[in-house]
Amino acid sequence: MSEVLISNVSFYDKDYFNEFLKNNNKHFSIGSPADFWVSFYKDLLREVINDEVDESFRDRELGNKQIKQIQKVFERELENKLPDIESIPEAGGPINEVIEWKGQEYRLCLSLTKPISRQVSDFYKIISICKECLLESKPMYLSIE
């Protein structure tokens, strides 16, 4: 299996139900069968952790410097995708998520026919995890398999 997982608490030593559903902790993951997307996210993370993205590890604790770098990478990617969201007519499917970015609201259709909306949602989730970890002075955890 190939996977990238980012979380605001360590993931693999926790009970998923209690820690992530009940306690409202956050995580982002993408894995098989989406191997193309795993490679895409690894390439983005390569800007921060270099060739370590080619290794397998679980719950690597990242400090403030790396969290800020990851946040910058995904903010850049989000900014690049938002103009495409604005050009997608709302008739393309139901609105599943609404995000606010720099004072503007974006309505996202997360259907399989709207991969740009899905990417924006993913980028936004990763940025939110980064912001929370920085605000609360706690580590972020990265796992790559």
Side-chain angles (χ1 to χ4, degrees):
M1 180 171 157
S2 184
E3 179 180 42
V4 172
L5 187 138
I6 296 171
S7 58
N8 65 345
V9 295
S10 60
F11 187 85
Y12 288 98
D13 62 343
K14 304 280 191 287
D15 173 67
Y16 183 82
F17 176 78
N18 286 323
E19 200 62 40
F20 291 94
L21 298 178
K22 196 173 172 186
N23 290 337
N24 240 1
N25 281 308
K26 298 179 185 91
H27 76 285
F28 163 80
S29 70
I30 190 148
S32 299
D35 287 333
F36 168 80
W37 292 112
V38 171
S39 295
F40 173 80
Y41 283 92
K42 282 183 174 182
D43 286 342
L44 293 175
L45 291 168
R46 188 178 305 279
E47 295 180 38
V48 178
I49 63 169
N50 304 312
D51 290 337
E52 291 180 51
V53 297
D54 299 321
E55 300 172 16
S56 286
F57 52 85
R58 288 183 168 187
D59 287 336
R60 177 168 295 168
E61 193 174 298
L62 304 177
N64 283 352
K65 181 180 177 186
Q66 289 176 313
I67 297 169
K68 288 176 186 177
Q69 290 172 321
I70 289 172
Q71 182 178 343
K72 277 185 162 181
V73 167
F74 285 96
E75 284 178 348
R76 179 194 70 218
E77 294 299 312
L78 180 74
E79 294 281 341
N80 289 337
K81 293 290 182 192
L82 286 177
D84 296 331
I85 292 294
E86 294 174 334
S87 66
I88 298 173
E90 287 187 28
I95 302 303
N96 305 98
E97 184 177 354
V98 178
I99 64 169
E100 186 177 317
W101 186 256
K102 295 186 177 179
Q104 188 168 347
E105 192 175 89
Y106 295 90
R107 301 165 59 81
L108 306 177
C109 170
L110 302 180
S111 73
L112 293 176
T113 61
K114 303 290 184 211
I116 294 172
S117 288
R118 171 60 65 189
Q119 275 188 311
V120 166
S121 176
D122 291 349
F123 297 159
Y124 188 78
K125 186 182 290 186
I126 293 167
I127 293 165
S128 297
I129 293 170
C130 290
K131 286 181 176 181
E132 177 186 319
C133 290
L134 291 169
L135 182 68
E136 296 179 12
S137 297
K138 64 183 187 180
M140 187 168 77
Y141 294 86
L142 175 63
S143 300
I144 296 180
E145 293 191 75

